[in-house]
Amino acid sequence: MPRPRRDSAAAADTRPAFARPPQPRGGPPPNSSPPKTPRQQVRTKAKQSPATSPQKRSGGDGRRKSGSPNKGSPTKTKAQYASSTSVGSGSHALSADSLAKLNAMNHGVRLSEKEIHRKEGAPRNNPIRANEKRHRKSHNRYDSAEILEKGHYGEHRHHRKARSVFSARKRPRGGGDPDDEDRNRKKRRILWAILIIVLLLIIFIPVGVVVSNKHKGNGGTTSDTDTNSNSDLDGIDPNSIPAYAKGGPLDPFTWADTKDFNLTFTNDTVGGLSVMGLYSSWDDGATPNDNTPPLSKQFPYGKTPIRGTNIGGWLSVEPFITPSLFESYSAHDNIVDEYSLTQRLGPAVAKTTLEKHYSTFVTEQTFQDIAGAGLDHVRIPFSYWAVTTYEGDPYVPKVSWRYLLRGIEYARKYGLRVNLDLHAVPGSQNGWNHSGRQGSIGWLNGTDGSLNAQRSLDIHNQLSKFFAQDRYKNVVTIYGLVNEPKMMAIPVDSVLDWNTQAVKIVRGNGLQQYISFGDGFLGLDKWENMFKDHDAKMVMDTHQYAIFNTGQLAFTHPSKISLACSGWGGLISKSNNPSTGWGPLFCGEFSQADTDCTEYLNNVNVGSRWTGTMNTQDPSTQVLSPTCPSTNPPCSCDSANADPSNYSPAYKQFLKMFAEAQMNSFEKGWGWFYWTWETESATQWSWKLGMKAGILPQIAYQPDFKCDTDVPDFKNLPEYY
């Protein structure tokens, strides 16, 4: 993995790199006064009646009794009106004076109704019934809303009959303009529409925010064509999953993707690691291309160069590869690595988010495309939480293990050999974000250094037992101990001793494949006389980048190609020979990028050496002066970070030549693994995107440039971009 990670002062050869009730229908005449009768109380009771509890249907409500008044009988209306408005007792009688006033009032109401009906052209034979019909029509809208909410529609039909008698009296005694009534009805309709819209907004806006935030937290790694598949579960009985396994890593009904997994439940393990998802048979007869032997035959390491790619940022998350997982957070949030990301998300959301990433960022198509590009090996970085987690760890445990095993089976299908790379160990072996947790080194260093060293040995004890199985002997051909231990900060002897213990454990468990170890950024020359008494099937893994070293970053375009050819080519040739160097080695990581401009490459929210904006808050690592070859005009990242369709022809020529020069030099050893196959947007770090942009060979074993070819001066390519 690229090293945002790399200290800028490294030696040149080490790191080149989310009811209301209806309105009254008009007011009383200006000079009128309210009748001194119980009429207002009757209106209140009539309005409240529909809201009475349904349990009282057969009692208490006078309007539901068999003696309920008939709508067409004014006499019964007055009788009910009088009895229902008595105060203190249902049998209380009105005084003669009150009855007289009541009769006068009712007479006035009938006169006003006749007047209104004449204006409206309504029939005059039953004014109260006609008026009641209009009122019922306007009231039903409000009553039905209440009734439908409470589920008493049938009951409400009886309420309506009782209310209709009083509807005629709800109009002002002096009569009213029907136009006002229409306007009021329209206003009520508008108010109800507004109320409904507001209620819907109250419901759906928060939901939308939550979904949006969840989407942002989940990232954007899903492609338009890649979708999760769980159709295979249709033939699986959920009861076949034991109670103790339900909801856990062995329960396929919790998996985001079941495609190409064996879904028959098993709790069998090898080395304490689950075989759930694997089929019992396999075929090692595939080959990725005509230049590569099938898996069933040994690969001639040392004679035929490895031409491979890393599948980085998949099972070990890196911010610059999948920035969508990090860019929704502010600098204040300090979400900078997988540790802080999973801690922020919490266990459930972290599992959902990362498993979605695992299942979509790399699919079977990935391996098919890699083989189609003329590559023959894949280096698969994974982290220790694929195997286990420890107290205090926020990482998602064991889920990535299943995807690692499926990835190996996909590699097998397309004839690709696998280099297993334990990319993150307990405590962090280098303090860089791709080790899981950015910051201090807690492996072989600090208070828990020894504890974490032992934990990592225990993990290798499990892993080596698992991959010593016969099914892996042809496909997993290189077994890595630990990625990029920072041996400039960890005592060298401690790392060498740990290596020795790890090799002993791995070989003791029967694993016979090649074992790789990192050069630790010490410089290849320093290994000439170190760790010589080693296992016969060991190979060194060196990572070469020209952009994490300020001296090499400042090289001109021709000088960078010369560095790749003469500098690294000579160094690899010497070191690969046991008589002049340590012995067999391959380049496990390199890139064609010629700047460190890519977003998040030097850690989240940290700038670049190229523009002098790399403010790490640490004087020993920060670079606050521009490092590009020319400072007039000032250095810029615009061209380097542009869409590749906007690259100039000269820039495309340089990038392709720079990549092929490195490939040619690394083939003087055991070969190379490009960093990396796919990124969301960083073209100069993706073989897939580079091929599409025309800045990498379409077939890996058919490059256009070799180091014995003349190098152009690139005078038409500005050095500052």
Side-chain angles (χ1 to χ4, degrees):
M1 136 151 6
R3 300 186 333 279
R5 43 199 193 211
R6 184 79 46 74
D7 294 339
S8 62
D13 63 341
T14 61
R15 280 306 53 87
F18 237 53
R20 65 169 265 196
Q23 297 293 330
R25 307 199 188 296
N31 298 324
S32 66
S33 58
K36 297 181 180 180
T37 70
R39 180 171 178 268
Q40 296 299 320
Q41 295 175 351
V42 173
R43 292 176 60 192
T44 301
K45 185 167 184 177
K47 187 185 299 183
Q48 292 173 345
S49 295
T52 53
S53 172
Q55 286 81 357
K56 298 180 181 179
R57 293 183 61 176
S58 59
D61 191 341
R63 291 171 296 162
R64 290 196 180 90
K65 296 177 182 179
S66 58
S68 294
N70 184 286
K71 292 189 297 182
S73 171
T75 303
K76 290 183 180 180
T77 300
K78 287 188 289 183
Q80 185 183 6
Y81 188 97
S83 64
S84 63
T85 56
S86 61
V87 178
S89 170
S91 61
H92 192 281
L94 289 174
S95 67
D97 183 59
S98 297
L99 289 172
K101 290 179 180 179
L102 178 60
N103 289 333
M105 181 198 72
N106 290 334
H107 179 69
V109 169
R110 285 193 294 272
L111 287 177
S112 63
E113 293 294 343
K114 291 178 181 179
E115 181 180 352
I116 291 171
H117 279 272
R118 281 196 298 271
K119 290 181 181 179
E120 296 178 351
R124 302 181 185 179
N125 60 337
N126 195 341
I128 293 179
R129 180 184 296 273
N131 183 68
E132 171 197 337
K133 186 175 182 180
R134 286 195 302 274
H135 279 269
R136 184 191 312 162
K137 185 174 182 181
S138 88
H139 283 306
N140 286 349
R141 179 171 61 257
Y142 299 94
D143 294 339
S144 62
E146 179 180 359
I147 296 303
L148 288 175
E149 272 193 344
K150 298 185 177 181
H152 307 319
Y153 175 72
E155 176 183 331
H156 173 63
R157 297 178 63 186
H158 299 290
H159 284 216
R160 247 183 7 195
K161 293 178 181 179
R163 288 184 53 172
S164 62
V165 180
F166 304 111
S167 297
R169 296 183 177 84
K170 287 189 178 180
R171 296 189 52 168
R173 287 183 297 145
D177 189 342
D179 291 339
D180 290 339
E181 183 178 343
D182 290 340
R183 282 193 292 270
N184 287 335
R185 281 199 296 267
K186 291 179 181 178
K187 287 179 182 179
R188 286 194 295 274
R189 291 192 188 101
I190 293 171
L191 288 172
W192 270 104
I194 293 173
L195 179 60
I196 291 171
I197 291 172
V198 170
L199 289 172
L200 290 174
L201 290 174
I202 290 172
I203 293 170
F204 289 114
I205 287 178
V207 172
V209 170
V210 170
V211 171
S212 175
N213 288 339
K214 183 176 180 181
H215 174 73
K216 291 164 77 173
N218 287 353
T221 59
T222 304
S223 69
D224 293 335
T225 58
D226 287 331
T227 56
N228 293 344
S229 172
N230 297 83
S231 59
D232 293 334
L233 286 172
D234 294 344
I236 304 298
D237 181 2
N239 293 323
S240 67
I241 311 302
Y244 70 84
K246 287 189 175 182
L250 301 181
D251 182 358
F253 290 90
T254 68
W255 299 358
D257 188 5
T258 58
K259 183 179 180 183
D260 297 324
F261 285 115
N262 183 349
L263 303 179
T264 301
F265 177 82
T266 178
N267 63 353
D268 289 350
T269 63
V270 176
L273 298 174
S274 175
V275 301
M276 178 69 182
L278 292 174
Y279 290 94
S280 59
S281 62
W282 61 91
D283 181 4
D284 287 342
T287 180
N289 55 67
D290 293 339
N291 294 333
T292 307
L295 296 177
S296 56
K297 296 183 179 180
Q298 289 190 352
F299 188 90
Y301 292 109
K303 296 179 180 179
T304 299
I306 296 168
R307 297 182 177 103
T309 182
N310 284 269
I311 306 181
W314 178 36
L315 304 180
S316 294
V317 170
E318 288 202 47
F320 92 92
I321 296 176
T322 53
S324 64
L325 290 172
F326 297 86
E327 61 193 6
S328 63
Y329 301 103
S330 68
H332 177 74
D333 294 324
N334 199 33
I335 308 302
V336 298
D337 49 30
E338 193 162 345
Y339 185 96
S340 54
L341 177 66
T342 53
Q343 187 177 57
R344 174 62 176 263
L345 294 175
V349 177
K351 178 185 180 297
T352 300
T353 301
L354 289 180
E355 186 169 6
K356 179 181 179 182
H357 165 69
Y358 298 153
S359 65
T360 59
F361 189 67
V362 171
T363 65
E364 178 181 354
Q365 188 66 47
T366 302
F367 295 87
Q368 183 176 355
D369 291 345
I370 290 172
L375 299 163
D376 46 55
H377 281 66
V378 288
R379 181 172 180 255
I380 306 182
F382 68 101
S383 303
Y384 76 83
W385 46 92
V387 174
T388 190
T389 52
Y390 302 97
E391 183 179 358
D393 281 347
Y395 305 115
V396 177
K398 301 183 180 181
V399 174
S400 60
W401 174 253
R402 181 169 70 252
Y403 290 94
L404 172 62
L405 297 187
R406 186 175 70 171
I408 294 172
E409 296 307 314
Y410 284 151
R412 186 198 306 275
K413 181 175 180 178
Y414 294 100
L416 297 166
R417 290 167 172 84
V418 175
N419 174 0
L420 276 182
D421 166 41
L422 184 57
H423 216 68
V425 294
S428 176
Q429 71 276 17
N430 50 40
W432 294 320
N433 59 32
H434 55 77
S435 70
R437 189 173 190 179
Q438 179 179 310
S440 60
I441 301 173
W443 179 77
L444 291 172
N445 185 65
T447 304
D448 294 326
S450 297
L451 173 63
N452 288 323
Q454 184 58 51
R455 285 173 169 173
S456 58
L457 291 174
D458 294 341
I459 288 170
H460 274 301
N461 187 36
Q462 292 185 265
L463 288 170
S464 58
K465 286 178 180 177
F466 191 92
F467 290 110
Q469 295 179 79
D470 192 56
R471 71 180 295 143
Y472 294 111
K473 68 179 182 181
N474 295 326
V475 63
V476 176
T477 56
I478 303 174
Y479 179 97
L481 295 181
V482 58
N483 175 68
E484 295 183 345
K486 193 174 182 181
M487 294 176 71
M488 308 96 74
I490 307 172
V492 172
D493 289 342
S494 296
V495 177
L496 297 180
D497 181 62
W498 183 89
N499 283 348
T500 300
Q501 294 181 64
V503 171
K504 183 177 180 180
I505 290 171
V506 170
R507 292 298 187 220
N509 287 330
L511 189 142
Q512 299 301 314
Q513 294 93 315
Y514 284 97
I515 298 175
S516 69
F517 68 98
D519 67 359
F521 311 119
L522 293 179
L524 294 179
D525 285 338
K526 293 183 180 179
W527 283 91
E528 183 177 349
N529 297 311
M530 286 195 309
F531 204 48
K532 298 291 283 190
D533 186 17
H534 56 74
D535 184 274
K537 292 185 68 175
M538 291 196 69
V539 56
M540 183 184 288
D541 180 358
T542 185
H543 298 173
Q544 301 292 336
Y545 295 101
I547 60 171
F548 298 116
N549 179 295
T550 53
Q552 295 170 353
L553 185 61
F555 285 180
T556 62
H557 294 104
S559 296
K560 285 175 180 171
I561 293 178
S562 179
L563 168 68
C565 287
S566 303
W568 293 341
L571 189 62
I572 295 293
S573 295
K574 178 183 176 183
S575 298
N576 190 62
N577 187 340
S579 63
T580 57
W582 185 85
L585 80 163
F586 59 78
C587 181
E589 294 183 20
F590 77 101
S591 165
Q592 69 181 148
D594 64 327
T595 73
D596 64 334
C597 287
T598 298
E599 182 186 29
Y600 300 163
L601 180 63
N602 296 309
N603 294 328
V604 177
N605 299 318
V606 172
S608 69
R609 299 171 183 82
W610 184 260
T611 58
T613 57
M614 185 175 162
N615 187 1
T616 64
Q617 306 298 321
D618 181 352
S620 68
T621 59
Q622 66 185 15
V623 180
L624 303 180
S625 298
T627 311
C628 71
S630 173
T631 57
N632 187 21
C635 305
S636 170
C637 283
D638 292 345
S639 293
N641 288 342
D643 186 285
S645 63
N646 294 321
Y647 288 172
S648 69
Y651 192 32
K652 285 187 175 183
Q653 180 188 22
F654 164 74
L655 289 171
K656 188 168 184 286
M657 190 173 289
F658 185 42
E660 292 177 341
Q662 295 178 76
M663 292 156 56
N664 187 246
S665 289
F666 301 145
E667 289 178 10
K668 293 180 180 179
W670 275 27
W672 48 267
F673 293 85
Y674 188 81
W675 188 271
T676 180
W677 172 253
E678 184 165 11
T679 64
E680 289 180 341
S681 56
T683 301
Q684 296 179 20
W685 292 90
S686 165
W687 188 282
K688 177 182 177 180
L689 296 179
M691 281 197 308
K692 182 179 179 180
I695 57 177
L696 282 170
Q698 297 302 302
I699 300 297
Y701 54 81
Q702 295 177 349
D704 292 326
F705 176 83
K706 292 187 178 181
C707 285
D708 56 2
T709 308
D710 292 337
V711 179
D713 57 22
F714 293 106
K715 287 184 178 179
N716 58 342
L717 181 60
E719 295 292 349
Y720 57 87
Y721 299 158

